[in-house]
Amino acid sequence: MTAKLLILDDDHDILLMLKSIFAGEDYELLLESDSEGALKRVISDRPNVAIMDISLPQKSGIEVLKEAKKIDPGLAVIMATGYKTTQNAIEAMKYGAFDYVTKPFDMTKLKGAVKKALECNLLSRKVRYTRERPQVEEDLTEDLMIGSSPEMIEIWKMVGTVADSDATVLIQGESGTGKELLARAIYNNSRRKNRPFLAVNCAALPEALLESELFGHEKGAFTDAHSRRIGKFEQCNGGTIFLDEIGEMSQANQGKFLRVLENQEFERVGGNETIKVDVRVIAATNRSLITNVKEKTFRMDLYYRLRVVNFFLPPLRDRAEDIPLLVDLFVKKFSKKYGKNIKAVAPETMAMLMTHPWEGNIRELKNVINSATVFCRGDILIPGDFESFLTAKAGFKEVDLEAAGDDYYEVFWSMLEPVFDGICQKNKGAIYESVNMGLEKALIHMAMEKSNNNQVFAAKLLGISRNTLRDRLERYRIGAAD
């Protein structure tokens, strides 16, 4: 029996091209240029495989995909698009597409995808016909994390495949690659998207404070525990928790966390009551957990329990073709923020950004675009708008914090040296006071953020009294002192 291949595209030239490509293959070709005609073909001809364009005039290819899968769940659909967007890839895989390909087509890869789709269809097909129309679903929230490189397209496809499951997810990648944004993309495309999403940085809090932050504590459990506190797992019941820098968690907390993963239960610090929860866990790390396992600083059973689904986010230097997309996004974002009217990025500027190593990945690129937008005097970003920031970064020396011990002289020297002349010119005679105030404000602000604006935790993290902290919060107008 000859396999049937349905091709839906409103571009007649593409239909003719694909017809000629697959004419020599052993397929019965069904060519359609409108969505309703394609859906009728699904009902009447029962094709094995379909190639569908996402951008169609009557209704989107995603809508056609959903209706086609309602009619025949066994149909293997390959979605095609010339617009490489995050959400297209996620939605296509989420609603049952077999694969997602981009135009212009790589014909060898397309033929391979069709062959694999046909094998899948013949192995797993279950006959079921229905003329029911699916309910129109609300548009999903667009995630700020973008990328159309082959590496990122594979990640978006994987997000669409796993988002609706409750499987634990481990995201690995260098600092600044967007691990939390990926976690939010998974959450925003899951059935838990209307429930809480809470993020905790495991490296930002001491062991005892992290335990209380995650699991809560009872009144009197320790000094300053003046009342019962509900932890993040309890607050997040029914939702998703994101644990960043999971490799920094102590062995004691790892054991308690493993119990939550296995049984969805725990006790508050200082308490005996067993708390039952329903929480999906997404964890992230910029370290090699398998190395930590070998060094016996991370539990092997926890490692394997975490990586049910494993993502690896490539560094920006390995997907340079995404840089123009990110630059465009950040230029629009910061132009609007600062009331600028930046219309474009000069070609020589883009060439410079494309070849920069970006050790800090997307976070570094975002901050550089932010600064350049502030200093841009015209409506086009030119290399001169970036020179001081990229030069400062190039002059920054990596510092071994372990070797530095409690003396952060080298750390601050390496930070100040590239920008010191500029600070001198700007502050003329008030450098000492300005830099000290800036450092103190940054420390206070960062400690509050890392402690989720909990003044008790922030004061302990800084090693100062709460009264001193409240004074600095008021002095620097950070948040609202309660």
Side-chain angles (χ1 to χ4, degrees):
M1 180 178 175
T2 304
K4 297 178 182 180
L5 173 60
L6 170 64
I7 301 175
L8 169 61
D9 201 301
D10 64 321
D11 188 326
H12 288 276
D13 290 336
I14 290 180
L15 282 178
L16 291 175
M17 178 187 69
L18 293 178
K19 179 181 179 181
S20 66
I21 292 297
F22 289 102
E25 307 288 331
D26 190 21
Y27 298 119
E28 178 184 340
L29 298 179
L30 310 172
L31 306 181
E32 291 292 337
S33 59
D34 70 271
S35 55
E36 292 302 327
L39 290 170
K40 289 177 181 177
R41 286 279 200 173
V42 174
I43 295 171
S44 63
D45 293 271
R46 195 189 161 204
N48 301 87
V49 180
I51 301 173
M52 296 183 181
D53 187 31
I54 283 183
S55 299
L56 298 169
Q58 295 91 357
K59 59 178 67 176
S60 75
I62 298 294
E63 290 178 290
V64 179
L65 166 66
K66 290 193 284 186
E67 293 193 31
K69 295 295 283 186
K70 282 280 189 179
I71 296 168
D72 180 7
L75 176 63
V77 181
I78 298 170
M79 300 303 295
T81 182
Y83 303 96
K84 306 174 184 179
T85 68
T86 297
Q87 203 59 41
N88 278 346
I90 293 175
E91 286 192 327
M93 304 309 290
K94 178 177 179 179
Y95 293 118
F98 177 81
D99 208 342
Y100 174 91
V101 296
T102 56
K103 300 176 183 178
F105 295 121
D106 179 323
M107 292 306 173
T108 301
K109 290 184 178 178
L110 182 60
K111 284 184 176 181
V114 170
K115 184 178 179 181
K116 289 180 181 178
L118 178 59
E119 291 172 355
C120 178
N121 173 268
L122 295 176
L123 285 171
S124 63
R125 186 168 198 131
K126 296 178 181 179
V127 181
R128 181 166 71 92
Y129 291 112
T130 175
R131 292 179 181 270
E132 293 177 7
R133 305 277 294 238
Q135 302 238 336
V136 178
E137 298 186 21
E138 294 181 4
D139 290 335
L140 296 172
T141 302
E142 183 70 27
D143 301 293
L144 288 176
M145 187 180 187
I146 63 174
S148 61
S149 60
E151 296 86 353
M152 293 307 297
I153 291 296
E154 289 304 312
I155 285 173
W156 301 134
K157 287 160 60 175
M158 194 170 167
V159 169
T161 303
V162 307
D164 255 348
S165 76
D166 286 330
T168 304
V169 176
L170 177 64
I171 304 173
Q172 301 182 77
E174 295 179 6
S175 293
T177 48
K179 296 187 286 295
E180 182 170 347
L181 288 175
L182 177 56
R184 289 184 182 276
I186 295 169
Y187 161 74
N188 285 330
N189 288 278
S190 74
R191 57 173 171 263
R192 294 176 182 257
K193 66 181 180 180
N194 294 319
R195 303 294 296 166
F197 176 94
L198 297 177
V200 179
N201 188 326
C202 298
L205 297 170
E207 178 181 348
L209 294 184
L210 178 62
E211 183 182 17
S212 175
E213 182 76 4
L214 293 177
F215 308 113
H217 62 250
E218 296 291 351
K219 181 179 179 180
F222 52 82
T223 306
D224 291 330
H226 301 303
S227 61
R228 170 185 284 180
R229 185 178 191 278
I230 303 301
K232 287 291 191 288
F233 274 106
E234 236 174 310
Q235 295 174 39
C236 206
N237 192 22
T240 302
I241 192 167
F242 173 63
L243 301 178
D244 198 8
E245 303 306 341
I246 192 71
E248 303 295 334
M249 185 180 283
S250 70
Q251 293 259 358
N253 282 335
Q254 287 176 35
K256 197 164 185 178
F257 173 43
L258 179 61
R259 183 185 172 199
V260 178
L261 284 180
E262 292 179 337
N263 304 318
Q264 294 279 296
E265 63 182 34
F266 60 91
E267 286 85 37
R268 301 187 191 99
V269 179
N272 297 314
E273 178 190 0
T274 298
I275 312 296
K276 297 286 289 184
V277 291
D278 171 23
V279 178
R280 186 187 193 176
V281 173
I282 303 176
T285 180
N286 61 6
R287 303 172 63 175
S288 170
L289 289 187
I290 195 65
T291 299
N292 288 8
V293 169
K294 291 176 181 177
E295 294 173 349
K296 301 189 183 304
T297 59
F298 199 83
R299 296 178 58 135
M300 181 181 292
D301 48 1
L302 177 56
Y303 171 68
Y304 287 111
R305 187 66 182 79
L306 278 175
R307 66 187 303 274
V308 177
V309 176
N310 190 26
F311 285 87
F312 176 75
L313 270 177
L316 190 55
R317 60 183 173 274
D318 289 347
R319 51 185 183 98
E321 63 196 271
D322 286 337
I323 290 176
L325 289 171
L326 292 162
V327 169
D328 181 63
L329 172 70
F330 295 143
V331 168
K332 289 177 180 175
K333 174 185 177 69
F334 294 119
S335 291
K336 181 178 180 181
K337 179 178 179 179
Y338 300 120
K340 298 290 185 85
N341 185 29
I342 298 176
K343 299 176 181 177
V345 176
E348 58 270 29
T349 303
M350 187 61 74
M352 179 181 69
L353 297 175
M354 291 284 286
T355 56
H356 189 72
W358 301 116
E359 290 94 341
N361 292 295
I362 298 172
R363 185 182 295 125
E364 181 190 356
L365 175 63
K366 180 179 179 181
N367 289 336
V368 166
I369 297 294
N370 186 3
S371 300
T373 303
V374 171
F375 286 93
C376 180
R377 294 185 177 89
D379 58 3
I380 296 177
L381 285 175
I382 60 175
D385 296 324
F386 292 83
E387 283 177 0
S388 60
F389 314 111
L390 295 183
T391 301
K393 178 62 184 177
F396 182 78
K397 296 180 293 185
E398 291 293 332
V399 177
D400 186 345
L401 291 177
E402 292 295 328
D406 295 328
D407 184 0
Y408 294 108
Y409 167 81
E410 289 288 343
V411 177
F412 296 123
W413 177 277
S414 60
M415 290 179 181
L416 285 170
E417 185 181 29
V419 296
F420 191 69
D421 288 344
I423 293 174
C424 290
Q425 292 173 12
K426 183 178 179 182
N427 291 277
K428 290 190 176 78
I431 297 172
Y432 184 83
E433 183 179 357
S434 298
V435 171
N436 270 302
M437 286 180 64
L439 176 60
E440 184 176 49
K441 181 177 180 181
L443 278 172
I444 298 293
H445 198 173
M446 196 170 296
M448 287 295 289
E449 283 196 352
K450 297 296 184 185
S451 303
N452 293 315
N453 293 316
N454 184 303
Q455 292 183 13
V456 174
F457 286 1
K460 287 186 176 181
L461 186 63
L462 290 165
I464 60 178
S465 70
R466 190 177 180 189
N467 285 338
T468 300
L469 175 64
R470 288 164 65 92
D471 174 72
R472 298 304 187 273
L473 290 175
E474 185 175 349
R475 178 185 303 179
Y476 298 123
R477 298 183 180 179
I478 299 172
D482 53 347

